[in-house]
Structure formats: structure tokens, C-alpha cells
Amino acid sequence: MFLARLPMTMSGVLLTLYVVTGLGRGYGAAGLVGGGVTLGMALGAPLLGRCFDRYGLRPVVAVCGIGTTAFWVAAPHLPFEALAVVAVPAGVLSVPAGSLARQVLATLVPPEERRAAYSLDTISIEATFMIGPAAGIAAITAFSPTWTLTALGALFGGTAFLIWLVDPPIRDGAAEAVELGPRPPLRSWLTGRLVGTLLIAGGTLFVLVGTELATLAALRANGELGVTGLVIAVMCVASIVGGVVHGAVKRSLPQGVLMLLLALLVMPVGLVDHPWWLLMLALIPTNLLCAPTLAATTETVTRIAPPRVRGEAMGLQDSFTRLGLAVGSPVVGFAIDHSSPAWGFAAAGLGGLVIASAGLLRNRAPEPAPEPVPALAER
């Protein structure tokens, strides 16, 4: 899954650079295509999750792998208008490596050890974001856009084939026991508690993308863009450290509390947005809570959603996080454009608090009974 996520972290920056430099369009046009892919992913995630629940892993991964490979191989040969049109269906057919990894962990790992497993998975995500974008920029700088996008398509197809070949289990013993029974109706498991958890997940990504955008804006405003890589690397390392601690402790803070702390700690960062090293230090506390909040979100969704519909529930989690990303960028960007980067940090925190508050209001249902320890799937 680490390998499967690498091309995903490269795709955004490569698509932007291709539209801007290869097609001679502006960043708005690049954002339109990228936003189409993101929208497609948000729409497709729960649909693909339901397909995983119904048909299993291999058929879905095969279709998604072929579709994603075809898009990236064809992308450098398409005019902008065609590229914008196929962006949404291409996003729908993207291999959902994130939700798939969480399903596999929920199947293979006993409930009492899932916090550590999900924390490790979140740490893996941070590592891909430290490697993927930089590798993508280096590739498109050294080689032609056509070659780079084609190679990216081959990488997507190769990792999809590896997932298909390994065929990791995504149904545990409990799911197998009810597989022949009726599927639970949506209203029976999409409860206020689960919706609240998903809203908090969206608020978390709103804060994270807003923080990154405000950080870039602050460094640019102060003429310190040269240290962007170092600042982002320290942010990732802080998140990894937080994930290690979260996974190691036997009892951690709940998702809602972690999310509130994440948002509150980012709001005052704008007061010390220069010089760059002071900004970097101020960003450490909030980033320490990044991986724990994401891991706690997955842990909560796994605990609440019935095993029979776990794929769809994980897909909904992906949708809400992508919607948080899609909303966070323009909202925080608007705040920066009409004030200053310092207010961007405040907007990121306030926006996250608003979304999280809505989630906490919906999250008043009683705690579900602990899920029985499932038997490992027979391989």
C-alpha cells in the first residue's frame, strides 16, 4: 500500500505542472482539472467501497487499475478540454489505496491492536508525501511531460497489479458469517455518531490543507520560499512522532478532542510567521496531532461500522476527507488573498472548528458495544 500511494502523491503536482507548462494554461485551469479528479475520487470512494463489500478485492482493483492507467497514459495526448472532461471519471476509477489499506488492517489486526496499526499506516502516508511530490517534480524536470505521465500511468497499473496479485483479505470472520445474509440498510448503520465522525474527519483535512497553504503563503510573503522543503519535512516528522506516540500508548485521546486541539493550536501560528525557523517551530505542536487524529478517525469508523459494510464506510471516510481538502483550499486562500498569511492560519483553525462542532453535535449517540475479536481470514 505504501507503493500504491506513491503515484497518488505525485499525481497532483505532475498534473498541475503539465497543464501549466505543457499546455500553456494557468493555475486556475490546472486547479479545474485537479479539482475534477478530486471530485471524482470523493464521489467514487463509497461506490467502490460498496463494490468491495459485494464483489471482493480483485474485480474492483482490476477495473480501477486499467482505468487509471489508461487515463494517465492518454493524458499527455489530450487537449485541455478533453482532459477536463475525463478528469471526473478518472477520479472515480482511481484505486482507493487508502480505504483498501484500512480494510486490510481491520481484517488482519485484532481490535485491541488497531490503534498501533492505524498509526503505522498514517506514518506510512506521511512518508509517501515526503517522497512522492519531490520525486514527481524531479522526474518531470528531467524528462518530458509525455514520458513522465506515461511512466506514472505504468506505476499506477503496476501497483494495482501487485495488489491484485497479493489479494490481501478484506473480510474478517464476522463479515464472512453474515455474507450470505441481507445487507444492513443504510439508515441502520449511517447513524448520527458515524456522520459526526465523518464530519470531524473532513474538518481535520480542512485544517491540514489550510495550514499547508498558509505556510506556503507566509514563506512566499517573507521571501523565504527556499526553505519550504525543510519546513514541510519538519511538519511531516512532527506528525510521524505524534503517530508513534499515539500508537504506542494503551489509551489515547478520542478523535473529537484530538481534532479540537489540532485546530486550536494552529490558530495562533500566524503571530510568529517570520522568520522561517520560528514559524517552523510554531507549527510543530499542531502537526504532532496530525497522525493521531487521522488514526483515531479510522479507528472510530472501524468500531462503529458493521463489518458487512466496512468497505462503503471506509469509502465515505475518504469522501469526507477529500471534501475537506476541496473546501479548505479556496476558503483559506480567500482569507489569505483578502488579508494576510497570518489570517490564513486563523481561517484554517476556525473553519476546522466549525466543521468539527457540527460533527460533535451529531456525535452524541452512545458508544457502541466493543466489536468481538474476528478470526483471521483463511488464505
Side-chain angles (χ1 to χ4, degrees), residues 240-322:
I240 290 173
V241 171
V244 170
V245 174
H246 178 77
V249 298
K250 292 184 178 181
R251 184 178 181 84
S252 182
L253 296 173
Q255 179 213 23
V257 175
L258 289 168
M259 164 62 204
L260 291 175
L261 291 174
L262 178 79
L264 289 172
L265 288 173
V266 78
M267 292 171 63
V269 169
L271 299 175
V272 288
D273 62 350
H274 63 279
W276 67 269
W277 59 267
L278 189 58
L279 172 64
M280 183 177 67
L281 294 177
L283 286 166
I284 290 176
T286 186
N287 280 279
L288 284 171
L289 296 167
C290 172
T293 307
L294 296 175
T297 297
T298 303
E299 189 180 3
T300 306
V301 172
T302 303
R303 188 172 63 247
I304 295 175
R308 182 68 176 82
V309 295
R310 184 175 288 152
E312 188 171 359
M314 294 294 184
L316 285 171
Q317 181 183 343
D318 272 1
S319 293
F320 274 77
T321 55
R322 294 188 187 283

Side-chain angles (χ1 to χ4, degrees), residues 93-367:
L93 289 176
S94 295
V95 178
S99 62
L100 192 56
R102 295 192 295 270
Q103 290 180 71
V104 172
L105 291 175
T107 302
L108 295 178
V109 180
E112 65 273 11
E113 297 179 7
R114 285 178 183 164
R115 176 179 294 117
Y118 291 145
S119 296
L120 183 61
D121 182 58
T122 306
I123 290 170
S124 172
I125 296 174
E126 293 289 352
T128 60
F129 275 99
M130 293 176 69
I131 298 171
I137 292 173
I140 202 169
T141 302
F143 304 99
S144 69
T146 299
W147 186 94
T148 305
L149 295 185
T150 302
L152 182 65
L155 189 56
F156 269 115
T159 54
F161 174 73
L162 288 177
I163 296 173
W164 182 90
L165 188 64
V166 174
D167 191 20
I170 58 174
R171 294 190 180 101
D172 54 34
E176 295 290 351
V178 298
E179 186 174 2
L180 299 179
R183 178 186 178 85
L186 184 67
R187 64 180 179 275
S188 70
W189 58 270
L190 191 58
T191 59
R193 181 173 178 79
L194 182 55
V195 171
T197 299
L198 297 174
L199 283 171
I200 296 172
T204 301
L205 270 296
F206 183 103
V207 174
L208 295 180
V209 71
T211 301
E212 182 176 330
L213 187 60
T215 300
L216 293 174
L219 292 173
R220 182 175 180 271
N222 296 319
E224 298 171 328
L225 275 178
V227 296
T228 300
L230 175 60
V231 174
I232 292 179
V234 170
M235 293 167 65
C236 291
V237 170
S239 178
I240 290 173
V241 171
V244 170
V245 174
H246 178 77
V249 298
K250 292 184 178 181
R251 184 178 181 84
S252 182
L253 296 173
Q255 179 213 23
V257 175
L258 289 168
M259 164 62 204
L260 291 175
L261 291 174
L262 178 79
L264 289 172
L265 288 173
V266 78
M267 292 171 63
V269 169
L271 299 175
V272 288
D273 62 350
H274 63 279
W276 67 269
W277 59 267
L278 189 58
L279 172 64
M280 183 177 67
L281 294 177
L283 286 166
I284 290 176
T286 186
N287 280 279
L288 284 171
L289 296 167
C290 172
T293 307
L294 296 175
T297 297
T298 303
E299 189 180 3
T300 306
V301 172
T302 303
R303 188 172 63 247
I304 295 175
R308 182 68 176 82
V309 295
R310 184 175 288 152
E312 188 171 359
M314 294 294 184
L316 285 171
Q317 181 183 343
D318 272 1
S319 293
F320 274 77
T321 55
R322 294 188 187 283
L323 289 174
L325 287 171
V327 174
S329 292
V331 170
V332 176
F334 180 86
I336 294 171
D337 289 340
H338 290 78
S339 54
S340 66
W343 282 103
F345 293 107
L350 286 172
L353 287 177
V354 170
I355 300 174
S357 297
L360 290 172
L361 290 175
R362 296 294 303 269
N363 205 355
R364 291 183 172 180
E367 179 75 14

